[in-house]
Amino acid sequence: MNRFFVLSSFISSSSAAAQPKAPLLSQSSHLQVISMEEDKHSSCDNTAETGDGCSILLELSDVDPLFDKKKRLLNDGGFDVKEIVHIKSSLDSGSLQSTLNQMLQIARIIHLDEVELYFGPVGGLGFYSPRNEMEAQNFILSLIESSLSGQVHTQAHALQDLRDAIINRIHELGTENKVENKIDTNYKCDKENCLIQWAENNGAKTRLHIAYIQGAGRGAIATEDLEVGDIAMEIPTSIIISEYLVYKSDMYQILERIDGMSSETMSLLWSMKERHNCHSQFKIYFDALPENFNTGLSFGVEAIMALDGTLLFEEIMQAKEHLRVQYDELFPALSNDHPDIFPPELYTWEQFLWACELWYSNSMKIMFADGKLRTCLIPVAGFLNHSLHPHIVHYGKVDPATNSLKFPLSRPCSVGEQCCLSYGNFSGSHLITFYGFLPQGDNPYDVIPLDFDVDQVDTMEDCPLSNWTTHMVRGTWLSENQNIFYYGLPSPLLDFLRSARTQMPFTKTLIKANLEVDKEVLEDLQSTFNDMVENLSDLDSFDREISSWDVKLALEFKEMQRRIVTSILTSCSTGIKLVEYELSKCKAEE
């Protein structure tokens, strides 16, 4: 078995349905690689000229891991997996909005992730989440712009009108989700400004400056109004820290002989030494890094104990244990055998943990021009903070024409506004463990996974949307359907629990048998979460005013978890009352 694989084999996938057992650098780094699927959809092959205008093809990829469930949703909406939308050469206002809504319905389903698909729409007109809506809108925009630039039709007026309409929708979504940030003018960003100057001297371009934002630390602020498609930042590959630098170092010949040594781990070990190199090309970059990253991996004993009874407790404990084991397998052996290359004073446990936190919280997965995906550190780009409503979503692919990494906007960013990107569709526990913060607002990926023995229940093979192998819950305030048979809870979960109680097909009709099944389901859920809320009830025993940063963050997470559990209990209690009321009516009619 390969031993030295730590930093490339241990973080969970970006699916929030699964809680990570231990961190994995290559998947925890805060980059979502630009979708190859988007490139395919935005090509001119998706547009064709017709006698009276043109048509655009919206296609669900047949390699989508959620293909069957998405296909079912598309079919239920009257669409196919390859849907052609006809656009007349002249559209009145009503037809324009109708065409756009039709395209958005399809695009939303195409871009659903596992959590969004599991919980379903949370608003009217098929709205799933701000993330999904922005993806769908930008997808439609890319198809329209591809059609306009391809000159595949003779009349562009309707497409131009459609483009203006989708741009307006993007602006509206951005306005709804705009977050106000307060800048601390007392904090002088001298090191950060030196880093930007160094980067620009080496070919970088940026329309952002660095400031200290209250509650968020350092962040990137727009120096001018930026529109959809504008490049907020462009970084040449010549100043990107990647495995190439390790290959040129004296430690490479030693590390490559170690069985299972990944390129990510090599890069991490290289950075531990390079950080102290006074003649390093990246000295200004390392000087601008914080002495402490304050992620969950640095939580002290009191903070860890405050998390007792939560998923985050297990996640942090397993991650730290894993890192310690891996460090002990590498050191002091490397320092003993090669003290000149791995000086003991530079490769302590504390230095190793610092480097792990650096790469977890700042690294990005980059697709280079040769087609290879590499984990890298990107000077200046590391100042871009995460948001549930990011401006930048698709990034991480080197432009071969300029040999640079570009960060284009998916929604507008006003001058003076913090420009954010998405680190991924992560839960709060993941963000605390590897990044050291909880995002502002309601995170739809803050889910609580539920463990069931699925083999004990017959799956409904004729209904792909019900055939889930994992189940979860989240805050029921995110659901608008609190009515009977729904209760603000996810339908796949309710269907699964119902199927465990009756062999008969369940129909959402107000008959005694169905109501009795639902009452049992709700009472069982209520019992489960009553036990859980008891483990989250000791928040008042801590004095937050004098607590350290890690204890405060632990309590913030625990409070969020309690809010989720309390909402589920409230929904169960309300649901039971609804069911009992309908049961009383059934008995009265007997």
Side-chain angles (χ1 to χ4, degrees), residues 34 41 69 74 101 124 162 179 183 190 220 286 301 331 333 365 384 419 440 469 487 516 520 577-578 589:
I34 186 168
H41 285 310
K69 292 180 173 65
L74 286 170
N101 287 335
L162 202 58
V179 177
I183 296 176
D190 295 336
F286 284 110
V301 174
F331 298 99
K365 299 290 289 184
L384 290 164
C419 186
Q440 295 183 48
T469 57
Y487 319 111
E516 288 176 341
E520 289 181 21
K577 291 177 182 177
L578 283 174
E589 294 173 359

Side-chain angles (χ1 to χ4, degrees), residues 83-103:
E83 187 71 21
I84 296 175
V85 177
H86 298 284
I87 302 169
K88 294 183 179 180
S89 57
S90 178
L91 291 174
D92 58 35
S93 178
S95 299
L96 179 70
Q97 294 302 321
S98 176
T99 300
L100 183 56
N101 287 335
Q102 179 187 7
M103 295 177 75

Side-chain angles (χ1 to χ4, degrees), residues 344-590:
E345 67 274 12
L346 302 185
Y347 287 91
T348 64
W349 162 247
E350 290 74 21
Q351 299 265 22
F352 181 79
L353 185 59
W354 181 91
C356 287
E357 290 182 289
L358 164 65
W359 283 84
Y360 288 142
S361 61
N362 282 264
S363 65
M364 300 183 180
K365 299 290 289 184
I366 304 301
M367 179 74 73
F368 281 78
D370 61 4
K372 291 186 178 179
L373 198 63
R374 297 178 175 89
T375 304
C376 307
L377 295 174
I378 318 294
V380 182
F383 293 126
L384 290 164
N385 288 324
H386 172 76
S387 173
L388 298 176
H389 312 291
H391 301 86
I392 301 168
V393 177
H394 296 291
Y395 57 100
K397 185 178 181 182
V398 170
D399 184 342
T402 59
N403 203 28
S404 63
L405 183 65
K406 298 177 180 178
F407 294 82
L409 267 70
S410 293
R411 72 175 179 92
C413 185
S414 303
V415 60
E417 181 182 357
Q418 182 181 191
C419 186
C420 297
L421 47 68
S422 171
Y423 293 0
N425 304 329
F426 295 135
S427 65
S429 62
H430 184 101
L431 291 170
I432 287 179
T433 302
F434 304 112
Y435 300 94
F437 70 90
L438 275 176
Q440 295 183 48
D442 292 327
N443 185 355
Y445 299 98
D446 277 331
V447 302
I448 298 175
L450 302 175
D451 187 19
F452 295 109
D453 185 358
V454 295
D455 293 334
Q456 292 182 358
V457 182
D458 292 333
T459 58
M460 291 163 274
E461 296 181 0
D462 60 331
C463 184
L465 289 178
S466 298
N467 191 10
W468 289 86
T469 57
T470 59
H471 293 279
M472 60 193 114
V473 291
R474 67 182 182 187
T476 58
W477 63 82
L478 292 170
S479 173
E480 290 190 353
N481 195 344
Q482 305 285 337
N483 298 324
I484 196 159
F485 297 126
Y486 296 94
Y487 319 111
L489 298 166
S491 292
L493 172 63
L494 292 173
D495 289 340
F496 174 81
L497 295 175
R498 287 163 180 154
S499 66
R501 286 164 173 77
T502 178
Q503 299 299 316
M504 300 295 293
F506 190 92
T507 58
K508 295 181 177 67
T509 52
L510 296 172
I511 59 174
K512 183 179 179 182
N514 290 344
L515 293 170
E516 288 176 341
V517 167
D518 265 23
K519 186 179 179 183
E520 289 181 21
V521 166
L522 293 170
E523 287 174 343
D524 283 353
L525 284 173
Q526 190 177 50
S527 175
T528 297
F529 285 97
N530 269 328
D531 294 339
M532 192 176 295
V533 80
E534 290 181 8
N535 293 326
L536 302 170
S537 59
D538 60 344
L539 295 173
D540 296 332
S541 61
F542 294 88
D543 187 343
R544 301 197 184 200
E545 292 297 323
I546 61 173
S547 294
S548 56
W549 68 270
D550 53 345
V551 172
K552 289 179 180 178
L553 189 53
L555 295 177
E556 187 180 350
F557 175 82
K558 203 164 187 178
E559 192 171 84
M560 179 266 290
Q561 288 279 286
R562 185 167 69 174
R563 183 182 175 219
I564 292 174
V565 173
T566 300
S567 76
I568 294 165
L569 287 171
T570 300
S571 292
C572 287
S573 177
T574 303
I576 290 171
K577 291 177 182 177
L578 283 174
V579 171
E580 288 178 339
Y581 174 73
E582 294 297 336
L583 275 172
S584 67
K585 289 169 61 177
C586 289
K587 292 177 180 178
E589 294 173 359
E590 290 179 352

